[in-house]
Amino acid sequence: MIDLKKDFKILNQKVNDEPLVYLDNAATTQKPQQVLDVLTNYYEHDNANVHRGVHTLAERATADYEAAREKVRKFIHAASTKEVLFTRGTTTSLNWVTKFAEQVLTAGDEIIISVAEHHSNFVPWQQVAEKTGAILKIVYLKDGALDIDDLKEKLTAKTKFVSLTHASNVLGSITPIKEVAEWVHHYGAYFAVDGAQSVPHMKIDVQDLDVDFFAFSGHKMCGPTGIGVLYGKETLLNQMNPIEFGGEMIDFVYESHSTWTELPWKFEAGTPNIAGAIALGAAIDYLETIGMDNIHRYEQELVAYVMPKLKAIEGLEIYGPEAVEARSGVIAFNIRGLHPHDLATALDMEGVAVRAGHHCAQPLLNYLGQSSTARASFYIYNTKADCDKLVDALLKTKEFFGL
Ligand SMILES: Cc1ncc(COP(=O)(O)O)c(CN[C@@H](CS)C(=O)O)c1O
């Protein structure tokens, strides 16, 4: 991978007099100049509301907005732009899926999620189970990843929804979505996938995976915050009631009732995040220039490089699958005798930015017997020198605390 840092001015700064080493990409990624320029250019030259005006700027803004939707469609290989809904991000997308679940679930139906889910794919399902009387079943782990046998055992004729993360934001484990989809559909259930930590890092083909819903966030893939996507099969989105009501999503408003417009706009009430969507399109262009397979391969190279060095640090415990090829670029770890927050603070003193906490995955941390961990997460602009700086800063931290 060529050194991409030149596209990311933000990375060219010192933190505590040390060069910044940004390793918190699972939280949010940095934005290349190419994306920032598109965002600025939109506001400087094309800004207007979409689908509502015939004047030139409105036509240009609408064309740019819908071109971004087409870029998303192509990026995830959806069959139609009708299946690409712009949302605020993964959390909103998954909440929308549970609104559809509320429509179709009845008491006694079963929902399956895993213990490794992010809160945005855990709490909404708790809520919909409570509202509908459906039963929420949890699948557990084996060797640091989803236990497929446990999933198969828990699938029954009563299973109506399965919702799983494609890649864990803590374990770095990657779930075999295509295999799971076959099992889920064999039982006649719907399958939703949380793609927040997979879409930025690997090629996604929603038709090949045969998922019913797929959610992801723009800010985790070089795009701005506030824009995300919910992919849904057209047949299901046509059955789904609108989530928000108002302008744009209507066909006709009578005094007595209203009718809805066609997909995808049925789900886009009000003025959308026009600039965010257009900038997400620019982020997709940027990532496609590098190539998603190249990105996945490069991240696995970094993980393969750093893992032995981390494992050689006495007292450092790593969570997640052993095999590098079963992992994304997320590595959660703890050092015996050191609170993760103290560890992350000490690393920050060395210019190294990692996350510490429960990573919005408290059921998982509890299952691991931990209240919190530190977490390093790599992306396209990280280098082996960044890996070496992480290891060096960890050793200095251990020395500082006399561990
Ligand atoms: C697997 C997974 N699923 C959903 C989300 C939510 O994404 P939003 O863009 O915030 O809606 C995230 C975001 N995880 C961040 C913030 S907690 C992390 O540091 O791990 C995620 O990792």
Side-chain angles (χ1 to χ4, degrees):
M1 181 85 74
I2 56 167
D3 186 348
L4 297 171
K5 283 189 176 18
K6 65 184 182 333
D7 293 336
F8 299 81
K9 281 182 192 158
I10 189 171
L11 297 176
N12 184 23
Q13 64 177 292
K14 289 207 169 187
V15 165
N16 298 314
D17 296 326
E18 294 286 339
L20 169 64
V21 175
Y22 183 80
L23 299 177
D24 194 18
N25 295 289
T28 198
T29 61
Q30 302 304 342
K31 323 307 169 189
Q33 196 58 44
Q34 292 85 331
V35 168
L36 300 175
D37 291 347
V38 165
L39 202 55
T40 307
N41 181 67
Y42 167 73
Y43 279 120
E44 286 179 343
H45 301 287
D46 297 338
N47 180 50
N49 213 326
V50 291
H51 301 129
R52 293 169 173 76
V54 293
H55 61 77
T56 300
L57 264 63
E59 293 290 348
R60 279 210 308 255
T62 302
D64 292 346
Y65 180 70
E66 292 303 331
R69 194 189 312 272
E70 169 53 21
K71 284 178 182 178
V72 174
R73 183 205 65 76
K74 185 169 166 286
F75 188 60
I76 60 173
H77 194 231
S80 160
T81 49
K82 292 175 183 284
E83 301 179 316
V84 177
L85 310 183
F86 284 124
T87 67
R88 200 168 48 87
T90 307
T91 301
T92 300
S93 299
L94 293 166
N95 274 270
W96 285 18
V97 176
T98 60
K99 288 292 177 199
F100 176 62
E102 248 180 77
Q103 259 181 250
V104 300
L105 284 169
T106 56
D109 286 344
E110 295 176 356
I111 303 164
I112 296 177
I113 61 174
S114 88
V115 71
E117 299 312 312
H118 183 278
H119 291 164
S120 65
N121 199 32
F122 208 112
V123 180
W125 293 107
Q126 287 177 326
Q127 291 296 307
V128 78
E130 205 173 296
K131 282 181 191 164
T132 62
I135 312 296
L136 183 62
K137 293 164 79 171
I138 312 286
V139 173
Y140 294 97
L141 308 180
K142 183 178 173 187
D143 303 330
L146 187 80
D147 183 344
I148 299 294
D149 293 332
D150 189 27
L151 171 64
K152 290 174 185 174
E153 276 170 29
K154 287 174 177 168
L155 279 165
T156 72
K158 291 183 179 178
T159 308
K160 284 289 181 307
F161 269 91
V162 176
S163 192
L164 298 171
T165 189
H166 193 175
S168 166
N169 68 317
V170 177
L171 303 168
S173 53
I174 297 171
T175 296
I177 292 301
K178 191 168 177 178
E179 176 192 350
V180 170
E182 286 167 16
W183 279 95
V184 172
H185 293 146
H186 173 72
Y187 284 87
Y190 297 107
F191 186 30
V193 174
D194 172 351
Q197 298 294 350
S198 61
V199 168
H201 304 279
M202 59 186 75
K203 188 65 197 148
I204 298 295
D205 182 331
V206 290
Q207 293 184 75
D208 179 54
L209 294 174
D210 193 23
V211 295
D212 297 306
F213 297 98
F214 200 95
F216 58 98
S217 299
H219 71 97
K220 296 189 190 295
M221 49 184 286
C222 295
T225 49
I227 190 74
V229 172
L230 173 61
Y231 159 80
K233 284 180 178 171
E234 187 174 345
T235 50
L236 301 180
L237 294 179
N238 278 326
Q239 296 168 41
M240 202 164 141
N241 296 331
I243 310 287
E244 293 183 322
F245 301 89
E248 187 56 29
M249 55 76 63
I250 50 91
D251 190 14
F252 282 96
V253 179
Y254 306 93
E255 284 193 8
S256 59
H257 71 287
S258 298
T259 57
W260 316 134
T261 190
E262 63 180 320
L263 289 174
W265 304 292
K266 179 175 92 169
F267 291 100
E268 295 188 2
T271 299
N273 181 355
I274 305 163
I278 293 169
L280 174 58
I284 288 172
D285 290 341
Y286 185 81
L287 295 177
E288 294 267 46
T289 306
I290 301 165
M292 298 312 294
D293 291 336
N294 290 331
I295 290 172
H296 189 47
R297 192 166 33 250
Y298 181 67
E299 288 180 8
Q300 292 206 318
E301 266 177 42
L302 289 181
V303 172
Y305 176 78
V306 77
M307 280 296 250
K309 297 171 182 284
L310 293 174
K311 288 179 176 174
I313 297 175
E314 199 277 325
L316 188 144
E317 182 182 17
I318 295 171
Y319 308 98
E322 271 298 312
V324 168
E325 55 278 359
R327 274 182 165 276
S328 69
V330 172
I331 304 175
F333 57 91
N334 273 325
I335 289 184
R336 191 173 50 247
L338 193 53
H339 191 287
H341 283 107
D342 295 335
L343 173 51
T345 304
L347 293 179
D348 185 59
M349 294 309 292
E350 299 292 326
V352 178
V354 299
R355 182 167 177 182
H358 55 62
H359 317 295
C360 303
Q362 288 174 314
L364 173 60
L365 272 283
N366 184 53
Y367 177 78
L368 295 172
Q370 303 296 326
S371 57
S372 56
T373 79
R375 182 192 69 186
S377 46
F378 298 90
Y379 205 29
I380 51 178
Y381 35 68
N382 291 127
T383 60
K384 286 180 178 174
D386 292 346
C387 297
D388 292 337
K389 183 63 193 280
L390 171 63
V391 172
D392 179 54
L394 285 166
L395 293 171
K396 282 183 179 168
T397 300
K398 279 193 64 180
E399 191 183 345
F400 177 80
F401 284 99
L403 295 171

